[in-house]
Amino acid sequence: ASTGIVGMLEVIVSDFETTIADTKAEEEKAVKAHKAFLAQTETSVAAKTKAQTLKESQKTATLDKLSQDESKMTQELSTLKTALTELKAHEEDCGSGAGFEERKKNRQVEMDALKGAIEFFDDFINSNSNA
């Protein structure tokens, strides 16, 4: 190695060449890392876009079903209100809403009356057939 000013200049040139080589190597490494990052980001964005589209489609389908179900519920409530109105009208027609024992007693009275009528007609038929 030379000494003096020429030696110092040779060392400076060597340092610059080393720095340039190191910088180029780091830049190439950074470019590769950046390209890999871009590819990964692009893949991630594509997957997320697809997921978003799917979820929006599911949301639309769910909102459509909700709308249909709400419409059906409105119809069912209308039917229920009509049925309740009719039930109330029938309850009014059926009387005071007598209890089981009272209805049982009334049925027994009616059956006894029907049995009496049957006996009457049987006697009437028998008396007319004997005459």
Side-chain angles (χ1 to χ4, degrees):
S2 303
T3 58
I5 294 181
V6 174
M8 283 178 41
L9 289 175
E10 287 176 353
V11 170
I12 291 173
V13 168
S14 173
D15 288 345
F16 274 119
E17 288 174 351
T18 303
T19 302
I20 290 171
D22 290 345
T23 303
K24 282 183 180 181
E26 289 294 322
E27 283 181 1
E28 288 175 9
K29 183 178 173 184
V31 167
K32 286 180 183 179
H34 182 67
K35 285 181 181 179
F37 172 76
L38 288 178
Q40 181 183 9
T41 301
E42 186 176 315
T43 302
S44 176
V45 168
K48 289 176 182 175
T49 301
K50 184 177 180 181
Q52 180 182 11
T53 302
L54 177 64
K55 291 198 184 288
E56 286 174 353
S57 174
Q58 289 173 339
K59 177 183 173 186
T60 301
T62 301
L63 289 175
D64 288 346
K65 176 136 178 43
L66 176 64
S67 177
Q68 291 171 0
D69 289 347
E70 285 175 340
S71 176
K72 186 176 179 182
M73 183 180 75
T74 301
Q75 292 172 352
E76 294 295 329
L77 283 174
S78 176
T79 302
L80 177 63
K81 286 179 183 178
T82 302
L84 288 174
T85 302
E86 290 177 12
L87 178 63
K88 189 174 182 181
H90 289 301
E91 284 177 348
E92 291 171 2
D93 291 342
C94 289
S96 63
F100 174 76
E101 291 299 323
E102 186 176 338
R103 289 192 311 266
K104 182 178 175 183
K105 183 179 122 192
N106 290 340
R107 275 194 306 274
Q108 189 62 45
V109 168
E110 189 175 344
M111 288 186 338
D112 290 342
L114 289 172
K115 285 178 186 176
I118 290 172
E119 287 176 19
F120 172 79
F121 285 118
D122 283 344
D123 291 343
F124 180 76
I125 291 173
N126 288 335
S127 68
N128 283 340
S129 65
N130 290 339

